[in-house]
Amino acid sequence: MRIGTAGYQGLLGVEEYVNGSDVPHSTLELLRLRVSQINGCGFCVDMHARDAKKAGESDERLWSVAAWREAPYYTDEERAALALAEAATRLSDNPAGVPDEIWDAAADHYSEKQLAALVMAIAAINAWNRVNVTLRNPAGA
């Protein structure tokens, strides 16, 4: 898809911004994995699970991220980021958008700069999911 090169480069620029933030890399990978699960993007689930594993993430945390609320493996900060990611990804589930209690919980754990990076990470992975699902890019490719 050569005609989309500028758009692809733009998304890579967002990733560079997010990855340069001081949000822990492990949190970003868990967030990317969870959003990709919600969106049914096998390509991104595969990639982010592998990336997280290579970065030292435990199997238990990778296996249980879909049920993070019930699993004991996540910090309060990670839980706040995952809740924000889920709410921002599932906007159609709440006509008012991201509920105040979810935003406030994230704001209790992250600075304004970190919140900006989290919001951009959520937006970016949702965009990547839509690109890969639409183009039918297979997992493991």
Side-chain angles (χ1 to χ4, degrees), residues 4-89:
T5 302
Y8 180 82
Q9 292 300 320
L11 280 175
L12 289 179
V14 173
E15 292 294 340
E16 186 176 326
Y17 161 75
V18 168
N19 290 330
S21 75
D22 62 350
V23 175
H25 183 72
S26 59
T27 301
L28 293 171
E29 285 302 327
L30 290 171
L31 178 152
R32 290 170 176 139
L33 178 56
R34 182 64 190 124
V35 169
S36 298
Q37 290 171 336
I38 292 167
N39 289 328
C41 183
F43 181 89
C44 293
V45 166
D46 179 71
M47 178 174 59
H48 293 293
R50 289 176 189 273
D51 288 350
K53 182 71 174 164
K54 285 180 194 169
E57 196 60 75
S58 73
D59 289 337
E60 291 79 13
R61 284 165 49 91
L62 293 176
W63 296 331
S64 64
V65 73
W68 60 267
R69 286 177 181 84
E70 292 80 29
Y73 310 116
Y74 306 98
T75 67
D76 289 343
E77 291 82 6
E78 290 167 335
R79 291 175 187 284
L82 289 166
L84 180 62
E86 287 187 0
T89 298

